Amino acid sequence: MRQGGHRRTAIGLVLVATASSGCLSYHRTRIDEPLPDAALAELVDGRTTLGQCLQVLGAPTAVLEYRGDGMALVWSWQDEDQWGLEVSLPVSDQANVNFNLDLGAADRPGAVLWFGQDLVLERWRRGRLGELIPRRVRPASPEESGG
Amino acid sequence: MSTSRLALLGALFLFSFSSACALGRMEQNDPLDAAAIGALQPGKTTAREVVEALGAPTEVVQLGRRTAYRYDATTTKGAVLFLVVLNFANVDGRSDRLWVFFDENDVLSHYGASFGTHRTQYAMPWEDVHEDGDNAARDADRAGVGTAGGGK
């Protein structure tokens, strides 16, 4: 009797395992290409002009306003990979119980070049964009700002 | 059970454990016209002439008294290898991008262009999609590309 119970449990587990689908996945996303270190090494604060930068580095990802007539040029790229575990267990004909487990997440790397009003390079930095560019804040409406 | 039925069932059983792959491609906007971009002349070309040659920009940015227009196109290729319990997927996306900068009189002062849509590859995650040799071979098939830019 006890042996039969174990056998039924084992058969039940095998049936559930067969009916469910689970998989391990490795996913990599690459968006655009990193700026070459050699090109960035050519930049000289206070000397390199906007035209020279564009000629060497090409088009930036974004252009931001900086101190009135100045500008900040942003290059960014992405190379992220992550492992994931996905298990899907059918609990009825219309619904699945599933969950995802992602083991990777990272800020986008990039480089920012700041130009003053004379369009000569003030400085440049390479790193995580979140650390290079201040988070942009939505302008407050007159009611919110109390004005 | 007959032998042929057993063989069919065996084949179906093996097929259910076989691997598969999928490829996908997505494009946003037409690739930029390298020849038209090469004709831009800082100090001479006006904003109106740029728009006549390249169409409406994707984005316009006000930079104090200056303005900048962005043109872009993106190609993304995805490849997935299904090995039943272990799957591999890769996404490679690259862009053609052009920024044109105008002075307060709407005359082109600078521009910068990069061309990457033709370099996009179907690949597996462990493959290097940014190899210089690969890029050079793809650049050779598209006239006038690389990075370009300059100012007056």
Side-chain angles (χ1 to χ4, degrees):
Chain A
M1 185 73 182
R2 190 175 175 80
Q3 198 171 5
H6 285 310
R7 185 173 291 175
R8 274 197 295 275
T9 306
I11 290 171
L13 283 173
V14 168
L15 283 174
V16 168
T18 308
S20 66
S21 62
C23 66
L24 188 65
S25 63
Y26 178 62
H27 184 233
R28 187 169 180 185
T29 302
R30 285 169 277 195
I31 306 292
D32 289 331
E33 296 177 51
L35 285 180
D37 289 331
L40 286 169
E42 288 180 28
L43 306 179
V44 182
D45 293 357
R47 285 186 59 183
T48 309
T49 64
L50 173 65
Q52 290 168 329
C53 286
L54 293 170
Q55 205 154 27
V56 172
L57 304 176
T61 311
V63 175
L64 306 175
E65 204 175 8
Y66 172 65
R67 290 186 184 167
D69 286 338
M71 62 181 80
L73 306 190
V74 182
W75 278 262
S76 75
W77 53 90
Q78 183 182 358
D79 186 352
E80 291 176 359
D81 61 346
Q82 60 183 32
W83 285 95
L85 175 66
E86 185 169 320
V87 174
S88 177
L89 177 67
V91 293
S92 76
D93 286 345
Q94 278 81 35
N96 272 3
V97 175
N98 64 61
F99 67 89
N100 291 296
L101 177 65
D102 291 329
L103 302 175
D107 291 335
R108 273 196 165 200
V112 182
L113 280 61
W114 288 270
F115 294 86
Q117 189 176 348
D118 55 358
L119 300 184
V120 173
L121 181 68
E122 277 188 7
R123 67 189 196 281
W124 68 273
R125 297 287 181 277
R126 183 175 179 158
R128 302 282 169 193
L129 287 183
E131 295 160 7
L132 297 174
I133 308 170
R135 198 177 290 265
R136 297 175 114 181
V137 179
R138 180 180 62 86
S141 66
E143 293 80 22
E144 286 174 321
S145 61
Chain B
M1 193 176 281
S2 68
T3 312
S4 60
R5 186 168 288 180
L6 269 175
L8 181 64
L9 283 173
L12 282 172
F13 182 78
L14 285 176
F15 181 74
S16 68
F17 283 91
S18 65
S19 59
C21 64
L23 300 174
R25 179 183 175 130
M26 194 172 73
E27 292 182 355
Q28 187 176 24
N29 296 337
D30 290 332
L32 299 183
D33 184 347
I37 291 169
L40 298 177
Q41 291 181 290
K44 284 186 72 177
T45 308
T46 64
R48 181 181 181 148
E49 289 168 338
V50 169
V51 171
E52 282 173 353
L54 302 172
T58 311
E59 182 185 8
V60 175
V61 178
Q62 189 73 42
L63 303 164
R65 288 169 298 165
R66 302 182 175 100
T67 50
Y69 296 1
R70 174 169 64 91
Y71 292 87
D72 61 11
T74 303
T75 298
T76 305
K77 290 180 179 174
V80 187
L81 176 63
F82 299 99
L83 297 173
V84 187
V85 291
L86 177 60
N87 301 329
F88 296 100
N90 183 77
V91 172
D92 182 23
R94 312 231 208 147
S95 302
D96 287 352
R97 228 172 13 246
L98 168 70
W99 277 97
V100 283
F101 299 86
F102 299 102
D103 61 19
E104 61 267 40
N105 300 313
D106 282 340
V107 175
L108 182 72
S109 63
H110 301 82
Y111 75 94
S114 300
F115 303 91
T117 52
H118 61 290
R119 292 180 172 180
T120 315
Q121 298 181 38
Y122 294 110
M124 283 291 103
W126 54 84
E127 289 183 275
D128 184 0
V129 294
H130 296 150
E131 285 180 329
D132 291 340
D134 282 350
N135 288 342
R138 286 171 167 78
D139 288 353
D141 293 333
R142 186 175 173 193
V145 299
T147 57
K152 64 184 177 183

